[in-house]
């Protein structure tokens, strides 16, 4: 039986062995310390230091003894033999590369040539290794992770299978232009309900195999290095294997799934394993650069794939073998003390688990036992990340039944949009179970760029070479099911070349590609690739890469690729989901994007309206029916430039207002000078009237205008600030009065820059701000729904025991990862609005709804969608 799945349109090469290119080295010489200048005697008023950089306030007054000392030093330096500058010719220092550690260029992705021998060595690190301990060389046999010996697989067969997997995965890296596509025409054929049911059963088998692999590796770590794990963790994984359901799953096994796989099902599982491993390897190569990173992670993935294929042949027997071996190890192992690591592992925190492993590995002593322990740590470091990748991919692609929807009713949407100012972006994701996640961390967005590029490449290949001819428009399957995808993807050069791109994106008129799938192969391809764009997936990849880079040796180079701009929108759905998910009070993520809820141009549009006309209706979702919008690029540039000139202090913002001050001073000057002119020119022409009384009146009027002008804009404007043509604003309303900028734009700017300024805020409406102080800037204007969305604060409507509430998906600048899932039982604090059915209306503006926003804990049962009432302000 063949174990090679179809993962690309081109076969792997027979022999391709070369080294990955090393990062370019730029050898520069470091100049030595600058030689002391010859400083002549100065006069008493202009004494300089040797380097000429000593501030004047630090220079001492010249005296006769001091002058004599300097003269002695001067002549001594002239007569002394000068030594050769050794620093500038030091070969070690001259080899320092000032660009060391800088992100690698994305051009290196195409230049990467994987070394299959190095990957095989990384996969077989257990064979023999040498560890240095107190000058003694020890030959140590290391334990083998993902070992096949207990499952009666000959070593020669295991080695040959591993070599084939390494060759296949190396070709995935070597040919990045070949699109990844899943292939299996024996079992997964038509994209019907029956096809989805079969796919869900296959994912169940893969989850079982993954659970056995995880149990075996954790048991090996317990046997050889108990410090890195514990009996409790192994026992938990044993219960998972015994039940056949991975921990945390909320679904029942399909009754049609038998205890053993038939030939077609086994072939389909092999094809899924090949495709999953190919996707992970391609994403690994596109998200990080370095031999250490690539060889080890590809070796781990290849070995896991081989073992999973062996386990799938007889799952019942192999499960019993794994449980028996784990039970033997647990009985002879001491009680562990890594309760913290276990709790983090149960909650899915990959970063915390690996950080704990690094901390424990650093405390190991250099001896024979520690050599084995360090090997275990090295293997677990990579396998922990791989386990998280595969577990999340299988969970997202599998029908978990968390939303209560059938297997054929779903929508998956991923969008990268600009938040706030300066083109800063965030990634929002709605998964198959209608749960939401987000990230705005730059390193995670960098990984998502690679994931979106791989997905876009496969979609273009499907459109260019469809597996089966499709009618135009494509027809649904026999049971009426139709699966579609629409997407829009632009990279840096295309984003910059189109002047109207911003206008098109905001108006929804940009061209979107669209495909209707009639075959299950294409559905599986897109479904798995779309899960790699999830914030959970990219954040995990980013965390694993960071841990690998930090914990490796000094010569182990692991670099990210350089950041570049991109825009992405991908949406995959079935017609049954659209037919059953129409609601008026909430929106799906795709509907919110089409409705321009995330368009920052709406802030400028709303700022041009009066507050009395601020009641809005939801824009029509049909682009053709929307009014034509103008390009706001110039308006944004003017506003951004003006705001960037603000000086932000801890409790206030200083704004330059030279035009206003000069206007007030000019008016007062005209009155003062005019009064004097009247006094001198009128003289005695008017009988009985002293002309200088008119001068006095003019002066009083000038003083009155200056005082009123100082008092109407801000509460306290000192004369010093006024004469320096600046004003210190201590509230949002004062900023609005001085600058004329709409308060919602000001609030969006403050939220965008909060992480990189020292500004603190105070009430009454500062619930969304993180740094609070009684003496901070007063947030005296409430935020509306659109400002919250543009600032990265997406309000989601959820069902609670008391009714409905709002939970904030906070993806503001620098957010690593945030999730809002069904059955939210987390004890962390969220920004929430409790019981939104009891609305507060503003008597001044009856159309506006006022909701109280606060940071607190909240338990909910189900997420319903994006809150879309634009006539809401949060107080």
């Amino acid at each position: 039986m063949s174990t090679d799945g179809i993962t690309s349109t081109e076969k792997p090469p027979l022999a391709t062995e070369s080294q990955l290119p090393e990062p370019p080295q730029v050898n520069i010489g470091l100049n030595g310390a600058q030689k002391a200048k010859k400083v002549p005697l100065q006069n008493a008023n202009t004494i300089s230091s040797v380097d000429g950089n000593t501030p004047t306030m630090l220079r001492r007054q010249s005296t006769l003894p001091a002058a004599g000392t300097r003269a002695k030093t001067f002549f001594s330096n002239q007569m002394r033999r000068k030594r050769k500058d050794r620093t500038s010719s030091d070969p070690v220092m001259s080899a320092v590369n000032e660009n060391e550690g800088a992100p690698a260029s994305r051009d290196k992705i195409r230049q990467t040539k994987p070394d299959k021998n190095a990957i095989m060595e990384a996969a077989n690190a257990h064979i023999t290794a040498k560890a240095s301990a107190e000058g003694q060389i020890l030959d140590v046999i290391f334990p083998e992770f993902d070992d096949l010996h207990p499952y009666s697989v000959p070593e020669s067969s295991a080695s040959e299978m591993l070599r084939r997997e390494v060759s296949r995965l190396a070709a995935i890296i070597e040919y990045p232009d070949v699109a990844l596509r899943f292939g299996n025409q024996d079992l997964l054929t038509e994209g019907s309900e029956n096809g989805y049911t079969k796919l869900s059963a296959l994912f169940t088998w893969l989850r079982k195999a993954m659970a056995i692999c995880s149990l075996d590796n954790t048991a090996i770590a317990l046997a050889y290095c108990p410090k890195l794990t514990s009996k409790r963790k192994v026992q938990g994984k044993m219960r998972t294997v015994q039940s056949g359901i991975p921990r945390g799953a909320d679904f029942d096994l399909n009754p049609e799934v038998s205890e053993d796989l038939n030939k077609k099902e086994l072939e389909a599982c092999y094809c899924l394993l090949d495709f999953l491993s190919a996707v992970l390897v391609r994403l690994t190569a596109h998200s990080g650069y370095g031999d250490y990173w690539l060889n080890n992670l590809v070796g781990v993935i290849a070995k896991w794939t081989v073992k999973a294929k062996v386990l799938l042949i007889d799952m019942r027997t192999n499960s019993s073998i794994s449980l028996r071996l784990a039970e033997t190890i647990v009985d002879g192992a001491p009680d562990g003390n890594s309760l913290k690591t276990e709790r983090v592992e149960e909650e899915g925190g990959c970063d915390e688990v690996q950080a704990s492993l690094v901390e424990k590995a650093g405390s190991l002593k250099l001896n024979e036992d520690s050599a084995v322990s360090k090997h275990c740590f090295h293997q677990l470091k990579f396998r922990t990340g791989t386990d998280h990748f595969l577990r999340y991919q299988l969970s997202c692609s599998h029908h978990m039944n968390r939303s209560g929807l059938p297997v054929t009713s779903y929508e998956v949407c991923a969008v990268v949009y600009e938040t706030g100012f300066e083109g800063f972006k965030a990634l929002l994701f709605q998964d198959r179970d209608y749960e939401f996640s987000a990230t705005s961390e730059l390193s995670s967005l960098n990984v998502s760029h690679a994931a979106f590029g791989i997905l876009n490449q496969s979609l273009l290949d499907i459109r260019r070479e469809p597996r089966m001819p499709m009618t135009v428009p494509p027809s649904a399957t026999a049971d009426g099911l139709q699966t579609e995808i629409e997407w829009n993807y632009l990279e840096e050069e295309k984003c910059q070349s189109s002047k109207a791109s911003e206008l098109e994106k905001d108006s929804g008129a940009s061209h979107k590609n669209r495909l209707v799938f009639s075959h299950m192969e294409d559905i599986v391809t897109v479904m798995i690739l779309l899960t790699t764009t999830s914030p959970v997936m990219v954040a995990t990849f980013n965390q694993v890469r960071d841990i690998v880079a930090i914990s490796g040796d000094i010569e182990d180079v692991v670099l990210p690729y350089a950041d570049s701009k991109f825009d992405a929108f991908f949406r995959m759905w079935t017609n049954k989901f659209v037919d059953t998910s129409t609601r008026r009070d909430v929106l799906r993520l795709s509907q919110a994007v089409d409705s321009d809820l995330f368009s920052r141009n709406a802030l400028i549009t709303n700022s041009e309206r009066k507050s009395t006309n601020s009641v809005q209706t939801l824009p029509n979702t049909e682009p053709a029916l929307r009014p034509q919008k103008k390009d706001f690029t110039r308006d944004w540039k003017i506003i951004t430039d003006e705001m960037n000139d603000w000086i932000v202090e801890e409790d206030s913002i200083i704004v330059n207002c030279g035009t206003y001050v000069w206007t007030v001073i000019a008016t007062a000057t005209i009155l003062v000078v005019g009064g004097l002119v009247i006094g001198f020119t009128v003289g005695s022409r008017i009988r009985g009237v002293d002309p200088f009384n008119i001068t006095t009146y003019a002066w009083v009027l000038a003083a009155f205008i200056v005082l009123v002008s100082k008092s109407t804009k801000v509460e306290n404007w000192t004369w010093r600030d006024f004469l320096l043509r600046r004003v210190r604003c201590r509230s949002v309303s004062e900023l609005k009065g001085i600058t004329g900028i709409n308060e919602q734009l000001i609030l969006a700017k403050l939220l965008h820059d909060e992480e990189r300024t020292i500004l603190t805020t105070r009430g009454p409406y500062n619930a969304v701000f993180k740094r609070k102080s009684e003496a901070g800037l007063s947030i005296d204007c409430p935020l509306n729904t659109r400002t919250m969305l543009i600032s990265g604060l997406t309000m989601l409507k959820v069902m609670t025991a008391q009714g409905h509430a709002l939970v904030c998906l906070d993806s503001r600048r620098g957010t690593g990862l945030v999730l809002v899932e069904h059955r939210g039982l987390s004890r962390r604090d969220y920004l929430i609005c409790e019981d939104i059915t009891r609305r507060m209306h503003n008597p001044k503006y009856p159309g506006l709804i006022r909701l109280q926003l606060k940071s607190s804990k909240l338990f909910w049962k189900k997420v319903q969608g994006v809150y879309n009432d634009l006539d809401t302000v949060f107080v």
Side-chain angles (χ1 to χ4, degrees):
M1 180 185 306
S2 173
T3 60
D4 293 329
I6 301 174
T7 58
S8 65
T9 57
E10 186 171 327
K11 296 182 179 180
L14 297 179
T16 304
E17 299 179 359
S18 59
Q19 294 290 336
L20 286 171
E22 294 293 334
Q25 301 292 328
V26 181
N27 296 328
I28 59 173
L30 297 179
N31 293 330
Q34 188 178 2
K35 300 177 181 179
K37 297 180 181 179
K38 301 177 182 180
V39 183
L41 288 175
Q42 307 288 330
N43 58 39
N45 297 323
T46 59
I47 298 178
S48 302
S49 64
V50 173
D51 58 1
N53 294 325
T54 303
T56 303
M57 64 180 297
L58 298 180
R59 298 173 186 170
R60 296 190 301 173
Q61 184 71 21
S62 179
T63 60
L64 186 59
T69 302
R70 285 195 300 273
K72 179 181 177 181
T73 302
F74 172 75
F75 287 110
S76 297
N77 291 335
Q78 296 298 316
M79 300 300 295
R80 184 182 301 150
R81 185 177 62 180
K82 296 180 180 179
R83 294 176 296 179
K84 185 177 179 181
D85 187 1
R86 293 177 294 180
T87 306
S88 59
S89 60
D90 191 344
V92 177
M93 296 297 295
S94 62
V96 175
N97 181 7
E98 65 179 7
N99 292 324
E100 183 180 10
S105 172
R106 289 193 175 271
D107 295 336
K108 292 185 177 295
I109 295 177
R110 301 182 184 276
Q111 302 172 7
T112 300
K113 302 298 180 183
D115 186 347
K116 290 185 287 187
N117 291 333
I119 297 175
M120 285 293 296
E121 291 178 1
N124 293 319
H126 63 283
I127 297 177
T128 303
K130 294 181 179 180
S132 176
E134 299 179 358
Q136 185 179 5
I137 302 300
L138 302 174
D139 290 334
V140 182
I141 302 300
F142 291 91
E144 180 180 4
F145 286 77
D146 288 325
D147 189 10
L148 292 177
H149 292 90
Y151 302 97
S152 302
V153 178
E155 185 174 354
S156 58
S157 300
S159 179
E160 179 60 27
M161 286 189 292
L162 180 60
R163 187 171 298 277
R164 287 203 304 266
E165 289 296 331
V166 169
S167 297
R168 180 180 63 86
L169 297 178
I172 299 298
I173 302 173
E174 188 173 1
Y175 300 103
D177 294 330
V178 178
L180 300 180
R181 295 182 66 172
F182 171 77
N184 178 262
Q185 300 181 355
D186 295 331
L187 184 67
L188 301 176
T189 55
E190 187 183 28
S192 60
E193 184 174 357
N194 184 40
Y196 276 100
T197 303
K198 292 179 180 179
L199 179 63
S200 183
L202 295 178
F203 279 127
T204 301
W205 285 107
L206 296 186
R207 288 164 66 89
K208 290 181 180 181
M210 187 186 71
I212 295 176
C213 293
S214 181
L215 172 61
D216 289 350
N217 292 332
T218 308
I220 291 174
L222 179 63
Y224 286 90
C225 188
K227 291 184 178 181
L228 297 180
T229 184
S230 67
K231 294 174 60 174
R232 180 179 176 181
K233 184 185 297 185
V234 176
Q235 290 169 347
K237 293 182 180 294
M238 290 175 62
R239 290 191 295 269
T240 300
V241 174
Q242 288 172 343
S243 64
I245 306 174
R247 182 170 41 192
D250 296 332
F251 64 94
D252 296 328
L253 289 178
N254 193 314
E256 299 180 1
V257 178
S258 60
E259 293 185 357
D260 293 315
L261 292 167
N262 57 39
K263 184 176 180 179
K264 287 187 177 181
E265 292 172 340
L266 188 61
E267 285 287 350
C269 284
Y270 283 0
C271 292
L272 279 174
L273 284 172
D274 288 341
F275 186 71
L276 283 169
S277 59
V279 170
L280 287 180
V281 167
R282 178 68 62 83
L283 187 57
T284 298
H286 288 202
S287 61
Y289 176 80
D291 291 343
Y292 180 69
W293 161 260
L294 194 63
N295 294 340
N296 283 278
L297 204 52
V298 174
V300 167
I301 294 172
K303 196 149 191 179
W304 174 86
T305 305
V306 171
K307 183 171 182 177
K309 289 180 178 180
V310 172
L311 295 175
L312 287 168
I313 297 175
D314 190 350
M315 286 292 296
R316 182 167 48 184
T317 302
N318 294 331
S319 298
S320 301
I321 295 174
S322 177
L323 289 171
R324 187 165 56 252
L325 292 175
E327 185 176 2
T328 302
I329 293 175
V330 168
D331 292 340
D335 294 331
N337 55 359
S338 57
L339 182 60
K340 177 181 177 181
T341 303
E342 297 166 19
R343 186 179 298 113
V344 173
E345 175 72 15
E346 291 177 0
E347 297 177 357
C350 176
D351 191 20
E352 290 81 359
V353 171
Q354 293 203 345
S356 176
L357 291 176
V358 173
E359 181 181 356
K360 293 176 182 297
S363 62
L364 299 176
K365 297 181 180 180
L366 291 177
N367 51 39
E368 183 173 351
D369 293 335
S370 75
V372 177
S373 300
K374 287 183 179 296
H375 166 73
C376 293
F377 161 72
H378 177 82
Q379 294 297 308
L380 290 177
K381 176 175 62 177
F382 290 97
R383 280 176 166 78
T384 301
T386 305
D387 183 71
H388 278 76
F389 302 153
L390 293 167
R391 183 171 59 184
Y392 182 77
Q393 278 193 319
L394 294 176
S395 298
C396 285
S397 303
H398 189 279
H399 179 232
M400 300 288 289
N401 197 25
R402 292 170 60 87
S403 61
L405 298 174
V407 66
T408 56
S409 179
Y410 69 89
E411 180 187 65
V412 182
C413 183
V415 58
V416 176
Y417 78 103
E418 291 188 356
T419 63
F421 295 76
E422 302 175 11
F424 193 82
K425 297 190 176 183
L427 168 61
L428 293 183
F429 189 83
Q430 172 194 305
D431 66 15
R432 179 173 179 173
D433 293 305
Y434 211 56
E435 296 175 327
F436 294 80
S437 56
T439 181
S440 59
E441 192 175 29
L442 289 177
S443 53
S444 296
L445 288 171
N446 191 359
V447 178
S448 72
H449 185 186
F452 280 116
I454 297 171
L455 173 59
N456 181 68
Q457 183 187 51
S458 295
L459 284 172
L460 295 179
D461 188 72
I462 293 174
R463 185 176 63 179
R464 184 168 50 251
E465 298 179 5
R467 298 186 187 275
M468 296 178 61
M470 294 185 293
T471 59
V472 181
S475 58
T477 58
D479 55 4
L481 181 65
Q482 184 169 292
T483 305
E484 304 179 50
I485 187 171
E486 62 178 4
W487 79 98
N488 187 19
Y489 179 74
L490 296 175
E491 294 197 294
E492 184 172 11
E493 59 275 2
K494 295 182 180 179
C495 293
Q496 294 178 349
S497 62
S498 177
K499 181 179 179 181
S501 60
E502 180 72 19
L503 173 63
E504 292 176 352
K505 286 184 293 182
D506 288 325
S507 64
S510 58
H511 173 69
K512 290 181 181 178
N513 303 285
R514 187 165 183 171
L515 285 176
V516 179
F517 301 127
S518 61
H519 204 280
M520 207 65 199
E521 290 176 313
D522 296 333
I523 294 175
V524 173
T525 298
V526 177
M527 181 182 295
I528 292 179
L529 288 175
L530 192 53
T531 61
T532 61
T533 66
S534 165
V536 177
M537 190 73 175
V538 299
T540 302
F541 244 100
N542 180 51
Q543 293 166 0
V544 172
R545 186 186 60 199
D546 291 346
I547 293 295
V548 170
I550 293 173
S551 60
D553 294 334
I554 195 67
E555 68 273 7
D556 297 329
V557 178
V558 182
L559 298 175
Y561 285 105
D563 297 327
S564 59
K565 296 181 180 179
F566 71 101
D567 295 316
F569 172 80
F570 289 82
R571 175 200 176 205
M572 183 181 183
W573 76 98
T574 63
N575 57 337
K576 290 189 177 181
F577 178 83
V578 175
D579 295 339
T580 59
S581 63
T582 302
R583 299 174 59 98
R584 296 188 59 184
D585 53 340
V586 294
L587 296 176
R588 306 187 301 271
L589 181 58
S590 60
Q591 289 179 319
V593 174
D594 290 338
S595 301
D596 292 344
L597 289 188
F598 298 104
S599 171
R600 65 177 188 170
N601 288 346
L603 290 178
I604 297 181
T605 304
N606 292 341
S607 66
E608 295 175 353
R609 305 176 184 177
K610 295 182 179 180
S611 59
T612 55
N613 297 329
S614 60
V615 179
Q616 307 164 39
T617 57
L618 185 64
N620 196 302
T621 57
E622 294 294 334
L625 300 179
R626 299 178 190 167
Q628 185 65 29
K629 298 184 179 181
K630 67 176 183 178
D631 190 357
F632 292 100
T633 304
R634 182 174 176 273
D635 297 335
W636 273 110
K637 186 178 185 306
I638 294 174
I639 294 175
T640 302
D641 292 343
E642 181 177 352
M643 289 182 170
N644 288 337
D645 291 336
W646 295 352
I647 301 175
V648 181
E649 296 186 344
E650 188 174 1
D651 58 350
S652 60
I653 296 178
I654 299 176
V655 180
N656 294 322
C657 54
T659 302
Y660 180 79
V661 173
W662 281 121
T663 301
V664 174
I665 291 177
T667 303
T669 302
I670 291 174
L671 290 174
V672 171
V673 175
L676 289 174
V677 171
I678 291 174
F680 284 110
T681 57
V682 172
S684 59
R685 296 177 183 178
I686 303 177
R687 294 182 179 180
V689 175
D690 185 357
F692 284 97
N693 287 337
I694 300 177
T695 302
T696 303
Y697 295 149
W699 287 14
V700 171
L701 180 60
F704 177 78
I705 290 176
V706 171
L707 291 176
V708 171
S709 299
K710 283 178 75 279
S711 303
T712 55
K713 294 294 183 181
V714 295
E715 181 179 0
N716 184 17
W717 195 346
T718 63
W719 281 107
R720 182 176 182 274
D721 287 337
F722 181 80
L723 296 177
L724 291 175
R725 304 176 303 282
R726 67 185 188 187
V727 59
R728 191 181 303 270
C729 301
R730 301 186 183 276
S731 67
V732 174
S733 59
E734 290 182 352
L735 268 174
K736 177 185 177 182
I738 289 293
T739 62
I741 300 176
N742 183 268
E743 69 274 7
Q744 297 301 323
L745 282 173
I746 295 174
L747 291 170
K749 176 65 175 178
L750 295 180
L751 286 171
H752 177 76
D753 292 343
E754 185 178 16
E755 289 297 327
R756 58 178 183 177
T757 63
I758 61 173
L759 182 69
T760 59
T761 63
R762 56 187 172 93
Y765 307 124
N766 67 331
V768 298
F769 290 87
K770 299 178 180 179
R771 289 196 300 272
K772 300 178 175 65
S773 172
E774 295 182 357
L777 182 77
S778 175
I779 308 299
D780 54 356
C781 299
L783 290 90
N784 60 31
T785 303
R786 196 178 289 276
T787 304
M788 297 272 286
L789 290 169
I790 299 304
S791 302
L793 302 168
T794 305
M795 303 304 295
L796 301 175
K797 188 176 181 180
V798 298
M799 292 175 54
T800 66
Q802 288 76 30
H804 294 95
L806 297 183
V807 177
C808 180
L809 185 70
D810 190 348
S811 60
R812 282 179 285 184
R813 184 173 191 165
T815 301
L817 175 64
V818 60
L819 300 95
V820 175
E821 304 172 304
H822 299 304
R823 301 185 183 277
L825 302 178
S826 174
R827 298 190 177 276
R828 56 162 290 190
D829 289 343
Y830 289 89
L831 282 173
I832 63 171
C833 295
E834 292 181 312
D835 197 6
I836 62 174
T837 55
R838 301 174 183 176
R839 300 179 174 182
M840 297 181 294
H841 292 275
N842 190 335
K844 186 176 181 180
Y845 307 116
L848 292 178
I849 301 170
R850 296 166 60 88
L851 296 178
Q852 184 177 6
L853 190 66
K854 65 178 181 178
S855 179
S856 178
K857 296 179 177 63
L858 180 69
F859 301 131
W860 64 87
K861 181 179 181 181
K862 184 179 180 180
V863 182
Q864 293 187 318
V866 179
Y867 184 68
N868 70 336
D869 197 333
L870 301 182
D871 304 330
T872 301
V873 293
F874 297 92
V875 299

